[in-house]
Amino acid sequence: MKEKTAEGVRLDKWLWAARFYKTRAVAREMVEGGKVHYNGQRSKPSKLVELHAVLTLRQGNDERTVSVLGITEQRRPAAEASQLYEETAESIAKREKVALARKMNALSMPHPDRRPDKKERRDLMKFKHGGEA
């Protein structure tokens, strides 16, 4: 693994190399959009990543908190990429709890077999808006 410690690696490049995002462009958008926090603060994609920094990432409904264990700018296989970081125990527990809540919600509110037709949509709108529409 090619290590870069003297200069460091850009945050968006590290996120891509660690396989959190599929492309550097997506990683850059997530950092610019405030979905990635570096040591508890928003940062720019050009921020240099340091060892033992704490990153908080939002990916869809999941939020991960990871500690940086290695720095590289090359995208390697997933087995090697997972050695670049370590997810905190609290983060794992929180993600599992949210996933379970999502699963339970899906079981208690199943989707209908088909979409409502025009009359059913109108009835739903009347019900939601209290007789209007």
Side-chain angles (χ1 to χ4, degrees):
M1 214 180 321
K2 181 181 172 188
E3 294 287 326
K4 272 185 93 171
T5 55
E7 312 90 57
V9 176
R10 290 172 52 105
L11 180 57
D12 60 344
K13 191 176 265 193
W14 187 87
L15 289 168
W16 167 76
R19 294 182 169 266
F20 285 107
Y21 300 107
K22 194 167 185 166
T23 66
R24 274 189 65 195
V26 172
R28 180 183 180 103
E29 287 175 15
M30 293 298 130
V31 174
E32 288 174 344
K35 305 287 191 235
V36 178
H37 289 234
Y38 185 86
N39 288 335
Q41 297 184 1
R42 285 184 68 165
S43 62
K44 295 183 177 179
S46 60
K47 172 78 175 163
L48 297 181
V49 177
E50 300 169 346
L51 288 176
H52 308 294
V54 176
L55 298 173
T56 305
L57 312 151
R58 293 210 61 151
Q59 293 179 304
N61 293 325
D62 293 334
E63 183 171 311
R64 298 173 183 244
T65 304
V66 298
S67 178
V68 178
L69 300 179
I71 299 175
T72 186
E73 63 180 9
Q74 291 182 330
R75 190 170 170 100
R76 306 294 298 160
E80 291 180 30
S82 65
Q83 295 173 358
L84 296 176
Y85 62 90
E86 179 180 39
E87 189 171 2
T88 62
E90 300 87 30
S91 174
I92 294 170
K94 186 176 178 183
R95 274 193 315 116
E96 288 174 352
K97 183 178 175 185
V98 169
L100 180 65
R102 234 183 1 249
K103 185 177 180 182
M104 296 306 287
N105 188 30
L107 292 175
S108 66
M109 299 169 121
H111 290 287
D113 295 333
R114 60 177 181 79
R115 292 178 56 182
D117 60 20
K118 191 171 185 177
K119 182 180 182 327
E120 291 168 339
R121 281 196 307 271
R122 285 183 179 160
D123 291 342
L124 281 170
M125 293 300 286
K126 282 182 186 176
F127 178 74
K128 285 183 179 180
H129 298 293
E132 300 171 18

